[in-house]
Amino acid sequence: MARDIPFSELTTLQVGGPAANLVTAATQRDLVDLAVEAWSGREPWLVLGGGSNLLVGDDGFDGTVIRVATKGIEVFARDAAAASVRLRVQAGETWDDLVAWTVEQGFSGFEALSGIPGSVGAAPVQNIGAYGQELESTLVAIEFLEEGADRPHRMTAAELELGYRTSVLKRGLRGIVVSAEFELHDTAAERAVLGEALGQPIAYAQLADALHVNLGDRVPVARVRESVLGLRASKGMVLDAADPDSVSAGSFFTNPIVTERVARTLPGDAPRWYLEEEAADEVTPLAGGVAEESPLDQFLAHQASLEAVGTLTDAAPAEPLVKLSAAWLIERSGIRRGFALPGSRAAVSSKHTLALTNRGGAAAEEVAQLARFVQSRVQAEFGIVLHPEPVLVGLEL
Ligand SMILES: Cc1cc2nc3c(=O)[nH]c(=O)nc-3n(C[C@H](O)[C@H](O)[C@H](O)COP(=O)(O)OP(=O)(O)OC[C@H]3O[C@@H](n4cnc5c(N)ncnc54)[C@H](O)[C@@H]3O)c2cc1C
């Protein structure tokens, strides 16, 4: 057990005070034992993966932090007729190592999620997504150790109620993801004919442009990965010790979802996606994969996660829902890339308005002040409340 290790050493934002007790689980047995021990003492506890979606306050965390470092990737089923493969992956595996490995194997379904930092266990928490893919297209189930239990049980993807950057885990179901089960497309048969492993149809315009293909085209998984990594690096969205813009928690705000009525109050050039269109255009389900949630279900799950709902005040169930661009709202409220409050060591990324960065030695409160300022500018200009994407511990916006 390590004492008083600061969260500034445990998170990618590099801010936050000490973790009173830090324990690390390298095996599934250890993970269960450490969790049961932490729960028996009735002290506060927190589970930690790569620390890439966490903003912890300057007072730190006065309890037990369980860091998940379990490893293992197992292919446990193949269905040649359906061209699918099932994997079970331990929670402490690094997400991007898993993506790289599946690309090498010629499995498709993760390639557009290349370069997202963090652990496999945290990926279902906010249903990670990028460049037209979301975890829910491939996640079948997790092994979940619910707070108070002494052994994990299986929860299906449907039970997790995955939505846009949310799940029941993010909305408050307490426990630990021990492992995750995925179904990917196995390109082996295609490869034998075509000589290459094609990925899922490209479902994101910027990625299609970078690859010089059309939306819906299929491109070798290795090329998709390379292209996504390039796009992400150009936005400071891959962890890189040489890039100060990557000292962040990724996107700090989610894209707001509003009713069509609210969206109509915005200037005509405000980017907007009707949720049904978005589901068809941006998210590519795997054939024969996990059952898809309807956009309305996704919305209802997301809505349940919103507390101070400036964005959804009058939502009538039948009214069409529209997703807006948080980056556009921030820029149009007058906040430019690189913006910092006077004297603050926190700044908006110089490459991407949605990321808040630590320019060196910032306090968590400086990041929070910047976040509040961004929220207040957008609310004053457009009447829309931006919600933080990272999990906040020991501070509030
Ligand atoms: C540069 C950068 C780019 C990013 N880009 C994206 C992106 O494109 N798309 C995207 O979706 N996200 C993105 N993120 C956010 C982040 O990478 C993901 O949310 C990731 O899944 C977090 O993983 P982690 O292991 O670091 O989680 P942590 O930060 O350690 O934890 C996040 C939350 O999950 C909980 N948690 C962690 N592990 C477990 C577990 N085993 N069981 C239960 N709960 C757990 C924690 O308690 C906490 O509440 C980005 C972050 C950065 C820094």
Side-chain angles (χ1 to χ4, degrees), residues 33-205:
D33 288 349
L34 289 168
V36 169
E37 195 184 323
W39 295 336
S40 68
R42 296 182 184 278
E43 297 280 308
W45 64 277
L46 176 71
V47 56
L48 176 72
S52 64
N53 211 28
L54 263 182
L55 171 55
V56 181
D58 295 310
D59 291 340
F61 184 76
D62 193 15
T64 300
V65 176
I66 304 169
R67 182 162 51 185
V68 184
T70 51
K71 299 288 176 198
I73 303 175
E74 176 199 357
V75 176
F76 71 92
R78 286 179 189 265
D79 181 339
S84 68
V85 62
R86 289 220 175 182
L87 311 180
R88 183 172 300 110
V89 186
Q90 298 303 310
E93 283 287 346
T94 298
W95 172 259
D96 193 50
D97 290 351
L98 172 65
V99 176
W101 181 82
T102 60
V103 165
E104 268 167 35
Q105 302 301 308
F107 302 153
S108 84
F110 286 163
E111 59 276 10
L113 300 175
S114 292
I116 299 181
S119 62
V120 167
V125 173
Q126 72 157 10
N127 182 26
I128 56 168
Y131 295 97
Q133 276 176 3
E134 273 189 331
L135 194 78
E136 67 175 314
S137 305
T138 48
L139 184 71
V140 176
I142 59 170
E143 265 188 295
F144 185 61
L145 183 65
E146 194 163 344
E147 183 173 25
D150 61 4
R151 69 187 64 168
H153 71 280
R154 193 169 189 270
M155 277 184 86
T156 63
E159 288 170 318
L160 288 171
E161 296 174 15
L162 303 167
Y164 166 61
R165 297 299 89 79
T166 192
S167 72
V168 288
L169 305 173
K170 195 157 178 185
R171 293 197 297 275
L173 178 63
R174 300 269 291 157
I176 301 177
V177 177
V178 171
S179 71
E181 189 182 314
F182 302 100
E183 183 172 279
L184 297 178
H185 181 67
D186 183 359
T187 64
E190 273 179 356
R191 238 172 25 240
V193 179
L194 302 171
E196 44 191 10
L198 296 182
Q200 295 301 301
I202 299 296
Y204 198 83

Side-chain angles (χ1 to χ4, degrees), residues 219-296:
V219 173
V221 277
R223 264 187 70 204
V224 178
R225 174 168 168 79
E226 198 183 290
S227 195
V228 167
L229 289 175
L231 283 168
R232 295 184 69 95
S234 70
K235 300 174 187 174
M237 284 291 177
V238 274
L239 294 181
D240 176 356
D243 181 359
D245 281 317
S246 73
V247 184
S248 77
S251 299
F252 198 89
F253 298 104
T254 53
N255 289 321
I257 296 172
V258 300
T259 61
E260 189 182 38
R261 221 178 328 154
V262 172
R264 265 196 251 113
T265 66
L266 297 173
D269 60 336
R272 62 195 80 198
W273 301 272
Y274 280 82
L275 277 189
E276 274 185 21
E277 281 175 27
E278 184 212 43
D281 290 345
E282 288 193 7
V283 180
T284 311
L286 285 176
V290 186
E292 285 289 300
E293 272 185 328
S294 73
L296 183 62

Side-chain angles (χ1 to χ4, degrees), residues 25 157 180 191 241 251 297-298 337 340 342:
R191 238 172 25 240
S251 299
D297 289 339
Q298 289 187 20
R337 293 176 189 179

